[in-house]
Amino acid sequence: MQKNIRKVLGEFIRTSQPLALLAGALLYACGVGVLVYLGESVDWTVYWFGQAVVTLLQLSSVYLKAYYDLVSESSPRSATDNGRMEDWKPISRNVYLLAAVTTLTMGAMTTFVLYSRGVLQPAGLLFLGISWLFAFFYGVPPLRLVYSGYGELISAIFLTTLVPGFGYVLQRGELIPIMGLFNFPLLALFLALTLATSLETYFSEIKAGRQNMMIRLGWQRGMNLHNFLIGLAFLLVGISPLAGLAWSLTWPRLLVLPVGIFQIWQMWQIGNGAKPNWRLLRLTAAASFGLLLYLQFFSLWTG
């Protein structure tokens, strides 16, 4: 019994994607960090309620995806096992549905608190509305964006653009152009990360009939886009002082450039027929995005 409980708990934690939740928290903090960089005060009550909305949106999205994944997998099995999903899955699909309903309800209540405080200006409502649509239809039919070939793009826009933007507009009420100098390099590196990780499962995903960005592009164009995105990310970082960003916020992010170059080199080697080291590629891709995110967060909050 104890072993089964650990198995269920481990599966539930894995489905909740704790690393993605951490990334969401750091990206939200980066959005508010722009306010700190500009020397303005932070309303900490609004900050934590806004962070709760972001986290609950992320959780509801992954739970809904998990539920509909199990629904789609149960159909071909129902004729042989009478649909007894519990015999071959550690968690019933109804548990994920209950978790999704719970997080959506809590998110709605938290949003109402923000609205009652008068901090949800039109820009904030727009960001929240688009974020909700992305999070909901990421895994829910009829769109099921996760398997449309655009799921990675939707995730990237949600995490690296909408989340920090939402954090900023909750405090300020409107966006400023400088946000793009922080968001677009992270958007590019996040897309490069998803392309790198999906290359390993390229043929298995095709056999399973699933669509992702790498499959939609084709592996050659996907690998070329991966390299282009990394180059674009660091080009945007390098030229950001020309747009008025302080050098103290630029040079720490440029420290990640060698990691990005190594990531491009690995992809170039794979394209030339070298034996892939998938674990190293995954680690390098995660390090490129994670280090840039952390250094950006640290630079904004420490000045």
Side-chain angles (χ1 to χ4, degrees):
M1 177 65 71
Q2 188 175 4
K3 182 178 179 181
N4 289 336
I5 292 176
R6 287 201 301 266
K7 184 178 181 181
V8 169
L9 183 60
E11 178 70 13
F12 197 80
I13 293 175
R14 184 194 64 80
T15 303
S16 301
Q17 299 180 6
L19 288 179
L21 297 179
L22 176 60
L26 287 175
L27 284 159
Y28 177 83
C30 282
V32 181
V34 175
L35 201 72
V36 177
Y37 162 69
L38 295 174
E40 301 187 27
S41 60
V42 176
D43 186 328
W44 288 104
T45 302
V46 172
Y47 178 95
W48 290 114
F49 272 106
Q51 177 61 74
V53 169
V54 170
T55 301
L56 290 167
L57 266 180
Q58 288 182 270
L59 289 173
S60 62
S61 180
V62 295
Y63 294 151
L64 285 169
K65 175 187 175 296
Y67 171 76
Y68 281 103
D69 280 347
L70 291 177
V71 168
S72 63
E73 290 173 7
S74 67
S75 300
R77 297 181 62 88
S78 59
T80 58
D81 63 5
N82 296 320
R84 293 177 298 186
M85 297 290 297
E86 293 78 8
D87 293 342
W88 64 288
K89 287 292 182 182
I91 301 180
S92 166
R93 66 191 185 195
N94 291 329
V95 173
Y96 286 125
L97 181 61
L98 177 62
V101 171
T102 301
T103 51
L104 284 171
T105 303
M106 293 174 64
M109 294 170 60
T110 309
T111 302
F112 178 77
V113 172
L114 288 173
Y115 182 78
S116 65
R117 292 180 62 92
V119 297
L120 274 179
Q121 302 298 321
L125 288 171
L126 178 63
F127 271 79
L128 184 58
I130 297 175
S131 298
W132 186 88
L133 290 174
F134 281 5
F136 186 79
F137 287 109
Y138 181 74
V140 175
L143 297 183
R144 290 276 273 170
L145 296 170
V146 61
Y147 300 130
S148 67
Y150 300 102
E152 294 88 346
L153 180 60
I154 294 300
S155 294
I157 294 174
F158 171 78
L159 270 178
T160 64
T161 303
L162 294 176
V163 166
F166 179 65
Y168 184 85
V169 297
L170 274 183
Q171 302 284 336
R172 182 76 176 264
E174 58 182 1
L175 281 181
I176 55 176
I178 197 175
M179 294 294 295
L181 300 176
F182 296 110
N183 296 343
F184 293 149
L186 287 171
L187 172 65
L189 284 186
F190 187 87
L191 286 173
L193 167 62
T194 58
L195 287 170
T197 54
S198 62
L199 183 61
E200 180 180 1
T201 59
Y202 183 80
F203 292 106
S204 61
E205 291 292 297
I206 291 177
K207 287 183 179 180
R210 293 176 175 174
Q211 184 85 284
N212 58 37
M213 181 177 289
M214 182 65 80
I215 293 174
R216 180 173 287 276
L217 290 170
W219 66 270
Q220 287 181 313
R221 284 189 293 178
M223 293 169 73
N224 290 334
L225 178 61
H226 165 275
N227 295 340
F228 171 78
L229 286 169
I230 295 175
L232 177 63
F234 288 103
L235 175 63
L236 292 173
V237 172
I239 66 174
S240 59
L242 300 179
L245 195 65
W247 177 245
S248 61
L249 295 177
T250 301
W251 74 261
R253 296 189 293 163
L254 288 176
L255 295 176
V256 191
L257 179 58
V259 183
I261 293 173
F262 181 55
Q263 185 178 338
I264 291 175
W265 180 81
Q266 288 180 83
M267 191 64 75
W268 180 77
Q269 288 285 89
I270 294 173
N272 286 333
K275 183 179 179 180
N277 187 334
W278 297 120
R279 183 177 181 181
L280 181 60
L281 179 61
R282 290 195 306 269
L283 179 62
T284 307
S288 295
F289 175 76
L291 287 173
L292 187 71
L293 173 57
Y294 171 75
L295 290 171
Q296 181 167 301
F297 162 78
F298 185 81
S299 299
L300 284 170
W301 281 89
T302 62

